[in-house]
Amino acid sequence: QSVLTQPPSVSGAPGQRVTISCTGSSSNLGAGYDVHWYQQFPGAAPKLVIYANNNRPSGAPDRFSGSKSGTSASLTITGLQAEDEADFYCQSFDKSLSGAVFGGGTRLTVL
Amino acid sequence: QITLKESGPTLVKPTQTLTLTCTFSGFSLSTSGEGVGWIRQPPGKALEWLTLIYWDDGKRYSPSLKSRLSITKDTSRDQVVLTMTNTDTVDTATYYCAHRRITAAGQYFDRWGQGTLVTVSS
């Protein structure tokens, strides 16, 4: 049971927009801690795509955007492309655990 | 450019101690604000944060694994070592080390090693 809750899967057709949610609690997202997002392809290490709620690192496609409000956050991918198909994880800090916490991951399927 | 690479055994027997080394470049763990973390991922499952070490030798551990984990650094060799005692089959996972960055309200991992798969089996 992950501290941050994500839907197991989402899907969308090429060109569409998809949103992946991440729900936390008053001990992490609700306490004001930032949320970060990682994309992971099969057999590869996770790669940062959004940091500090809504910032893209260098090299991340501008089709990726993030938002956070209260105990929830979301990653939105617009103009979905086949190459976006991967697993996505949200991550934050939890003050009760005094450490990083991850979501359970969401598998994005491009139809 | 920051790079990290994990190394260690691919197979350990239950109850044995697992030692993994993270060798990095592109930054120094003697620089204020720097940190390196370990994260693992059992086959087909989610990421799990294990531990973190800071430039000032401060350390943080996952509460659920704290009694079995130890993290140390060797700044002269640009290495971080993870030790896990009393391993079990449930510790079978890909283990990643990652470079930590801080924000005004938290921290994240901006660079990851390729990961190393460790199987715990007799």
Side-chain angles (χ1 to χ4, degrees):
Chain A
Q1 192 87 1
S2 299
V3 173
L4 304 178
T5 301
Q6 299 179 233
S9 64
V10 297
S11 62
Q16 286 188 332
R17 181 178 76 173
V18 295
T19 298
I20 299 172
S21 63
C22 175
T23 303
S25 68
S26 58
S27 184
N28 39 70
L29 301 187
Y33 292 107
D34 290 335
V35 67
H36 321 285
W37 293 89
Y38 304 88
Q39 179 182 39
Q40 185 180 34
F41 296 107
K47 182 178 180 181
L48 181 73
V49 292
I50 292 288
Y51 69 95
N53 307 320
N54 55 15
N55 296 277
R56 278 189 313 277
S58 174
D62 58 7
R63 299 180 289 103
F64 291 84
S65 63
S67 65
K68 173 180 171 281
S69 179
T71 59
S72 297
S74 63
L75 172 71
T76 299
I77 307 172
T78 56
L80 200 59
Q81 297 183 5
E83 66 198 50
D84 298 330
E85 189 164 284
D87 292 328
F88 290 84
Y89 293 90
C90 60
Q91 177 250 312
S92 186
F93 181 87
D94 191 284
K95 63 180 180 180
S96 296
L97 301 175
S98 294
V101 289
F102 285 93
T106 298
R107 174 150 299 177
L108 169 63
T109 300
V110 181
L111 302 171
Chain B
Q1 180 185 357
I2 291 174
T3 64
L4 307 98
K5 187 173 184 179
E6 307 85 353
S7 60
T10 59
L11 178 66
V12 296
K13 297 183 186 304
T15 75
Q16 287 186 336
T17 294
L18 169 65
T19 300
L20 296 173
T21 300
C22 175
T23 303
F24 57 85
S25 64
F27 68 99
S28 173
L29 255 183
S30 59
T31 300
S32 178
E34 292 290 3
V36 171
W38 284 94
I39 301 101
R40 72 177 180 181
Q41 184 174 37
K45 296 188 177 181
L47 300 168
E48 178 186 20
W49 172 74
L50 301 178
T51 180
L52 194 59
I53 190 165
Y54 303 117
W55 80 100
D56 60 356
D57 211 35
K59 301 166 188 178
R60 295 292 182 271
Y61 296 99
S62 168
S64 63
L65 292 166
K66 185 175 183 178
S67 63
R68 299 172 51 212
L69 296 178
S70 175
I71 188 170
T72 60
K73 62 181 176 70
D74 184 338
T75 54
S76 65
R77 302 179 68 178
D78 287 338
Q79 291 182 331
V80 170
V81 175
L82 169 70
T83 302
M84 177 183 288
T85 61
N86 193 26
T87 55
D88 183 84
T89 54
V90 299
D91 296 315
T92 294
T94 296
Y95 287 76
Y96 298 99
C97 63
H99 176 255
R100 183 214 68 157
R101 284 207 187 273
I102 58 174
T103 67
Q107 53 193 349
Y108 62 96
F109 303 100
D110 66 332
R111 291 290 186 269
W112 295 60
Q114 64 188 25
T116 185
L117 175 61
V118 178
T119 301
V120 181
S121 175
S122 56

